[in-house]
Amino acid sequence: MKLLFGKKLGILGVSLALVLLSGCMGKNNIEEYMRPPKLTGEQSAINQAMEEALGSQFILQYPVSGSYRSAFLLQNLDSDEDLEAIVFYKESASAATMIGVLDREGGEDWHLIYSVAGDAPEVESVSLAHLEEGSSADILVQWRDQSGQNQVLSAYSFNSRRLNHRFSQACDSYITVRPQQGAQESLLVFSAQKKDSLAQVVLIEELDGNLRAVDRLTLSEQITGYQQMIAGTLDTGEPAVYLDVQLADGRYATQVIGVADETLWMLEAKGISLLELTERYQPIYCRRDAQGSVRIPVLTTMPGYESRVAAEQEYSANMITLDSTGEVTASQQCYISLYGQFVFRYPQVWKEKQITVIWDHALEECIFYEYGGRMDTSSVLLRIKVLASGEALDQFQSENYQRLTSRGQYEYYYYLPNPDKIGPEFNYDVCRDAFSLLW
């Protein structure tokens, strides 16, 4: 998700759009930006081999999402000493998308040795997984129809110079997890809620040489779609998927699904449904901390915002952990700013204080202060400023604000107005350590 900082960015976006629509940017025109990516040397050699086998009219197909965005995938698919090349293409604009396999066959030149039609017209995403024992990888391709409404996940393995179709499953999202002490992965396939069915997750594992659905779990009728998935582990070492979902009323929540002994199971907090505990209006999702633990956001309305509508409220976040017994452990509180795209973890000295924030949109500053019963910034603890490219600090700011970090065309600064009142345990170094970018 990319949110903009006020009107300044809106103006920048409109200006860029006008430049692009004018058909001129320096010496280049819009057609330059509509062309496919330039091929590398290896890709050019593979492309030439495709032309020799198919002619020059084929059209490369690029996945629209995921880690692999190229029409070419180089991978050792059969555990020999050489790489194979997977290529996604169409022989004409109206033809089916094909998967081609090319090999050097012990020489230096690539040759197309096998091709097979895909399960839908468009390639949504491509990934690799080790779903069976051995060092070779399975290829997971998420296909979609031209409307984008229907998607299917297919798994392929390569052996005996053929690309073997292993299974297909209706799929809106998927993730792989690795069981304890195992090199072999398990695959979880998620389908969203449809008119005639609830959201569901299916566990796919390799048994007796075949990929099979070994368990399935129907999710709450409140869950209509998926926002984010993180593979993690429980305190027992068993794998789990931390699933940030969208609910029917537009809110967000988290569900945790454990995987053990070819079985899926739902984790719940003691005494309360995890969906109920984690319901939130803002699209704030689970985060992996520096130690590798996945933490779940539980949001609380900040002091002074209780009477406002949900869209106008500010929230503090308690990033909890959940163990296999349902025990919830709270960690340090933080403020997660979707507007400013940063996270600020409350320092220890704030533990007994009522903290709230105000965004000064004229100055593009987030003001943290101690709440005293009304929205009054007289007891300011910290200011975090977002500065767009080309803007400069004024004289007062340059003397008092210190730089935190930058990303893209934005720079972040902070200022402690009353350090003497707060004490030496809250200083610029503490603030710097507590700050991080959101994405």
Side-chain angles (χ1 to χ4, degrees):
M1 168 174 283
K2 183 72 174 172
L3 299 181
L4 302 183
F5 300 115
K7 296 181 179 178
K8 289 180 283 189
L9 287 189
I11 294 170
L12 287 173
V14 171
S15 301
L16 178 59
L18 291 174
V19 171
L20 290 174
L21 290 173
S22 71
C24 178
M25 182 177 288
K27 295 183 179 179
N28 299 321
N29 56 37
I30 190 65
E31 284 76 16
E32 292 288 336
Y33 299 93
M34 297 298 290
R35 293 174 183 170
K38 291 184 178 180
L39 303 182
T40 66
E42 190 74 274
Q43 290 173 347
S44 294
I46 296 169
N47 196 69
Q48 183 177 346
M50 295 282 291
E51 290 181 355
E52 292 173 357
L54 304 171
S56 60
Q57 301 304 310
F58 69 93
I59 305 166
L60 294 173
Q61 299 297 299
Y62 291 81
V64 299
S65 64
S67 300
Y68 297 95
R69 298 294 184 94
S70 174
F72 302 88
L73 176 61
L74 288 171
Q75 183 71 22
N76 189 342
L77 299 175
D78 55 8
S79 303
D80 63 9
E81 295 180 355
D82 298 318
L83 296 177
E84 285 75 39
I86 295 289
V87 181
F88 296 92
Y89 67 96
K90 289 183 178 181
E91 295 191 36
S92 67
S94 60
T97 294
M98 306 292 291
I99 311 176
V101 183
L102 294 92
D103 199 349
R104 285 195 172 98
E105 300 183 314
E108 294 184 358
D109 297 328
W110 290 99
H111 299 279
L112 180 65
I113 62 171
Y114 191 78
S115 61
V116 64
D119 285 344
E122 308 297 332
V123 184
E124 175 65 28
S125 67
V126 179
S127 62
L128 300 171
H130 289 85
L131 302 179
E132 57 185 326
E133 294 183 1
S135 58
S136 59
D138 289 285
I139 304 163
L140 300 179
V141 182
Q142 191 174 7
W143 304 95
R144 64 179 174 87
D145 62 15
Q146 292 177 333
S147 72
Q149 300 300 310
N150 300 298
Q151 301 185 73
V152 61
L153 180 67
S154 303
Y156 303 86
S157 63
F158 181 74
N159 52 60
S160 302
R161 297 170 56 80
R162 291 175 57 89
L163 197 62
N164 301 298
H165 185 284
R166 304 199 67 196
F167 92 101
S168 291
Q169 172 79 39
C171 168
D172 289 286
S173 298
Y174 69 93
I175 194 170
T176 58
V177 298
R178 195 179 301 279
Q180 291 175 283
Q181 300 177 345
Q184 188 174 335
E185 294 176 294
S186 298
L187 173 65
L188 282 74
V189 180
F190 295 82
S191 59
Q193 187 177 129
K194 303 293 192 298
K195 184 180 297 185
D196 56 351
S197 61
L198 297 179
Q200 190 176 76
V201 54
V202 178
L203 176 62
I204 307 291
E205 293 192 350
E206 192 269 343
L207 294 175
D208 301 324
N210 297 311
L211 292 178
R212 301 176 181 174
V214 297
D215 198 13
R216 64 184 65 233
L217 199 60
T218 299
L219 304 181
S220 167
E221 62 183 7
Q222 299 178 67
I223 297 174
T224 58
Y226 311 108
Q227 301 299 311
Q228 177 188 256
M229 298 176 182
I230 299 179
T233 55
L234 301 173
D235 55 303
T236 58
E238 293 166 326
V241 175
Y242 293 75
L243 186 66
D244 290 308
V245 298
Q246 184 141 31
L247 305 179
D249 62 4
R251 289 186 291 178
Y252 306 87
T254 298
Q255 191 71 73
V256 181
I257 298 171
V259 184
D261 300 324
E262 300 174 11
T263 303
L264 298 172
W265 52 289
M266 202 86 70
L267 277 80
E268 297 291 357
K270 284 186 176 179
I272 187 172
S273 157
L274 189 59
L275 284 182
E276 183 180 350
L277 175 65
T278 60
E279 279 184 346
R280 50 197 184 266
Y281 285 97
Q282 291 187 326
I284 291 173
Y285 307 135
C286 295
R287 292 171 63 85
R288 195 185 301 277
D289 64 19
Q291 290 71 45
S293 298
V294 180
R295 299 193 178 275
I296 305 167
V298 175
L299 302 191
T300 304
T301 303
M302 280 187 160
Y305 287 93
E306 296 89 349
S307 61
R308 301 193 185 186
V309 297
E312 297 177 355
Q313 291 184 356
E314 291 281 4
Y315 302 90
S316 61
N318 205 337
M319 304 299 286
I320 67 167
T321 57
L322 180 71
D323 72 12
S324 57
T325 68
E327 195 71 45
V328 171
T329 302
S331 65
Q332 201 170 22
Q333 272 190 300
C334 63
Y335 170 64
I336 300 177
S337 173
L338 295 176
Y339 181 80
Q341 299 186 78
F342 67 80
V343 179
F344 187 80
R345 300 181 302 279
Y346 290 6
Q348 188 67 23
V349 71
W350 287 9
K351 187 174 182 179
E352 303 302 325
K353 299 180 184 293
Q354 275 198 305
I355 304 297
T356 195
V357 301
I358 287 179
W359 265 96
D360 186 327
H361 292 284
L363 297 175
E364 292 293 5
E365 286 189 355
C366 179
I367 304 170
F368 292 82
Y369 64 97
E370 187 173 1
Y371 185 70
R374 58 194 180 93
M375 302 295 276
D376 178 6
T377 58
S378 58
S379 56
V380 174
L381 302 171
L382 171 67
R383 291 175 179 265
I384 295 179
K385 184 176 184 64
V386 183
L387 204 63
S389 177
E391 293 183 320
L393 297 171
D394 62 31
Q395 183 176 352
F396 170 79
Q397 292 169 343
S398 61
E399 291 174 355
N400 294 281
Y401 285 68
Q402 295 192 23
R403 187 176 180 276
L404 272 167
T405 189
S406 64
R407 178 173 52 193
Q409 59 179 319
Y410 301 105
E411 292 188 331
Y412 294 81
Y413 293 83
Y414 61 146
Y415 170 46
L416 302 179
N418 302 298
D420 295 338
K421 293 182 180 180
I422 303 171
E425 63 272 24
F426 183 56
N427 53 42
Y428 280 98
D429 289 338
V430 170
C431 290
R432 183 180 296 276
D433 291 341
F435 178 90
S436 60
L437 294 173
L438 183 54
W439 310 111

